[in-house]
């Protein structure tokens, strides 16, 4: 039983027929009949007596009608309550993003706009050297960055996602099944992003942890540009697995012994966030 069935039964009862009910509901007469029949089968009783001249409620239909109206009124009340709640949370949220750290902002922002249309959002790239002070000085309300890049007293961080990183290269598919050691990856990964970019931060951190050195020959600020350089055999590039998967003609090789991880987190000032900021954090995940 669903709200559409209840609405249809009420329309038939109040309009005195299936055709008039269909006109009221802006649908076809056959659709109204089908919906009513389905509900009657579900309930195991007939709600209407049908003759060539009229349609009237059966005793079961007369008993059912007030309950159906009550259920629809309750649904309308619930919907109105939710609508009020959506608009009650309002204000502006300023988001600082470490370059390249938030590849698909539309997912969270569209959810926030749908659930809380009264919240206004500003998204700006945050220079790496200003990440921590930007939050503490209230220049931004929420910062999206590589995990561990912004720490300290007065800050709270929550993880947004984690995935493995892979070495994107133009080598044959047979090499894709062989995990690449960190030293070999460091020699190959001469394509990377400009300093301060999230992927560069994660990659440099991983190679430092593995105690291997590398030389970056080509710096880019766009994943597609990095892939194009790889495609032309100008080197390899370390990318999150989901980003590498967007280039099926290239090979994403797993790292041996775990390898680097792509971990993103949202950071904000300690304490209870403002309602608009709390709403954004819920949408971020």
């Amino acid at each position: 039983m669903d709200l559409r069935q209840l609405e249809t039964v009420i329309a038939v009862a109040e309009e005195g027929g299936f055709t008039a009910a269909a006109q009221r509901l802006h649908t076809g007469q056959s659709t109204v009949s089908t919906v009513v029949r389905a509900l009657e089968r579900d309930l195991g009783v007939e709600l209407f007596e049908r003759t060539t001249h009229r349609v009237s409620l059966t005793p079961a239909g007369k008993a059912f009608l007030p309950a159906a109206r009550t259920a629809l009124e309750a649904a309308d009340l619930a919907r109105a309550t939710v609508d009020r709640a959506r608009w009650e949370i309002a204000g502006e949220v300023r988001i600082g993003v470490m370059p390249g750290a938030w590849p698909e902002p539309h997912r969270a922002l569209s959810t926030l706009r749908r659930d809380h249309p009264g919240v206004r959002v500003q998204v700006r790239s945050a220079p790496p050297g200003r990440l921590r002070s930007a939050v503490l000085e209230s220049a931004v309300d929420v910062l999206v960055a590589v995990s561990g890049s912004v720490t300290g007293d007065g800050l709270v961080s929550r993880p947004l996602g984690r995935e493995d990183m892979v070495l994107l290269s133009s080598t044959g598919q047979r090499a894709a099944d062989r995990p690449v050691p960190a030293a070999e990856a460091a020699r190959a990964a001469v394509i990377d992003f400009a300093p301060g970019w999230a992927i560069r931060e994660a990659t440099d951190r991983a190679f430092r942890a593995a105690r291997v050195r590398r030389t970056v020959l080509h710096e880019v600020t766009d994943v597609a540009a990095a892939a194009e350089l790889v495609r032309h055999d100008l080197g390899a590039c370390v990318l999150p697995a989901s980003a590498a998967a967007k280039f099926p003609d290239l090979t994403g090789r797993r790292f041996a012994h775990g390898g680097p991880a792509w971990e993103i987190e949202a950071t904000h000032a300690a304490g209870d966030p403002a309602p608009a900021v709390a709403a954004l954090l819920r949408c971020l995940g």
Side-chain angles (χ1 to χ4, degrees):
M1 185 185 307
D2 57 37
L3 296 179
R4 182 190 179 207
Q5 291 174 322
L6 300 182
E7 183 181 28
T8 302
V9 168
I10 293 171
V12 173
E14 291 180 349
E15 299 297 332
F18 289 86
T19 301
Q23 292 174 347
R24 168 171 156 178
L25 298 173
H26 304 291
T27 188
Q29 186 269 338
S30 60
T31 300
V32 172
S33 297
T34 300
V35 170
V36 172
R37 285 294 188 192
L39 179 57
E40 288 177 328
R41 284 195 301 271
D42 185 37
L43 295 174
V45 296
E46 288 192 349
L47 299 174
F48 295 99
E49 293 179 353
R50 301 161 175 85
T51 69
T52 56
H53 300 292
R54 59 185 296 229
V55 174
S56 60
L57 287 166
T58 64
K62 292 178 181 178
F64 179 80
L65 188 60
R69 286 183 173 132
T70 299
L72 273 189
E73 290 169 359
D76 289 340
L77 177 60
R79 190 177 294 110
T81 301
V82 170
D83 287 341
R84 284 196 300 272
R86 291 172 64 218
W87 285 98
E88 282 176 358
I89 297 179
E92 184 176 84
V93 179
R94 298 159 299 171
I95 308 172
V97 182
M98 188 178 191
W102 200 16
E104 297 183 329
H106 63 279
R107 298 185 183 277
L109 295 184
S110 60
T111 300
L112 179 66
R113 183 175 62 180
R114 181 198 67 203
D115 293 347
H116 303 289
V119 176
R120 302 182 307 278
V121 178
Q122 291 184 5
V123 181
R124 290 193 172 91
S125 178
R130 287 271 301 160
L131 297 180
R132 184 173 184 275
S133 60
V135 179
L136 292 176
E137 295 171 5
S138 298
V140 299
D141 300 300
V142 177
L143 180 69
V144 179
V146 172
S147 295
S149 57
V150 184
T151 59
D153 295 338
L155 298 177
V156 176
S157 297
R158 61 180 70 190
L160 299 182
R162 183 192 186 283
E163 62 177 294
D164 291 335
M165 301 184 80
V166 299
L167 182 69
L168 189 71
S169 68
S170 61
T171 55
Q173 291 298 321
R174 286 180 297 177
D177 295 331
R178 181 174 66 84
V180 57
E184 180 183 337
R187 289 193 298 271
V190 297
I191 301 168
D192 208 334
F193 296 81
W197 276 66
I199 295 177
R200 176 68 174 267
E201 170 70 18
T203 302
D204 285 348
R205 188 185 301 174
F207 285 132
R208 284 196 302 268
R211 298 183 179 180
V212 296
R213 299 183 64 182
R214 67 166 179 154
T215 300
V216 176
L217 301 180
H218 309 294
E219 290 182 352
V220 297
T221 57
D222 180 78
V223 173
E228 197 64 27
L229 292 174
V230 173
R231 189 173 288 114
H232 285 81
D233 289 320
L234 292 172
C237 180
V238 178
L239 290 177
S242 60
K246 296 179 180 179
F247 308 100
D249 59 314
L250 302 176
T251 299
R253 298 177 60 189
R254 296 178 295 109
F255 280 74
H257 311 298
W262 175 246
E263 297 176 285
I264 301 300
E265 63 186 11
T267 300
H268 58 92
D272 294 332
V277 175
L280 170 66
L281 292 172
R282 288 193 296 270
C283 293
L284 287 172

